[in-house]
Amino acid sequence: METVFDIVPAGVRPFYLLLPVFALLIGVLYVLGVTGYGSQRERFVLSDAGLDFRGDVWGRRVPWSALQVEKARVVDLTREPGLRPRSRRMGTALPGYAAGWFRLTSGERALLYVTAWRRVLYVPTSAGYSLLLSPQDPDAMLREIQRRAGRRSGA
């Protein structure tokens, strides 16, 4: 013969304490989704206004007047330790993708959109940071930036 005793039902109040945890989890999943999307869809757009970054949460416009085109070059981050990202300030650092604000080994601040470490376009700015970018063809993008900057300066 069995005697059964039911548990006293839990109140609903403890479940309200879990709502912030669920909200945080949803927020993290959203950021990961946007990051994944950005890592595949990021674009660098050269316009009359400047260089635009589109497709990611770190998107912005850098005006032509801020780009130090004469110092821009294609670099290999595996061979230039001073330009390697040292610490993330605000951004994404996943294997094969780094985007957002970083501090470089040299101490310089940089806005990164890097997926390939061996062929990266490095563009310093007069705004106190540099750009490290992974376009499909860094040499062609560098030539186009230089061409547009030369046209703007009247050269």
Side-chain angles (χ1 to χ4, degrees), residues 80-102:
E80 295 206 35
L83 295 179
R84 288 187 199 143
R86 180 182 63 196
S87 60
R88 178 181 53 206
R89 298 300 180 202
M90 181 174 282
T92 303
L94 298 171
Y97 181 62
W101 293 101
F102 288 75

Side-chain angles (χ1 to χ4, degrees), residues 36-127:
Y37 178 82
S39 73
Q40 301 297 313
R41 306 284 192 285
E42 183 65 38
R43 294 180 298 153
F44 310 116
V45 180
L46 300 176
S47 70
D48 290 340
L51 171 57
D52 289 341
F53 305 104
R54 297 182 187 160
D56 188 285
V57 291
W58 310 110
R60 67 176 23 210
R61 172 177 290 153
V62 181
W64 285 108
S65 60
L67 297 175
Q68 295 179 342
V69 177
E70 67 283 353
K71 296 178 183 176
R73 59 195 170 98
V74 177
V75 299
D76 180 347
L77 294 181
T78 65
R79 294 177 183 252
E80 295 206 35
L83 295 179
R84 288 187 199 143
R86 180 182 63 196
S87 60
R88 178 181 53 206
R89 298 300 180 202
M90 181 174 282
T92 303
L94 298 171
Y97 181 62
W101 293 101
F102 288 75
R103 183 71 62 182
L104 303 181
T105 305
S106 65
E108 184 178 9
R109 275 185 41 206
L111 179 59
L112 272 66
Y113 288 96
V114 176
T115 55
W117 296 91
R118 293 191 181 273
R119 306 260 315 133
V120 176
L121 180 57
Y122 169 74
V123 185
T125 72
S126 60

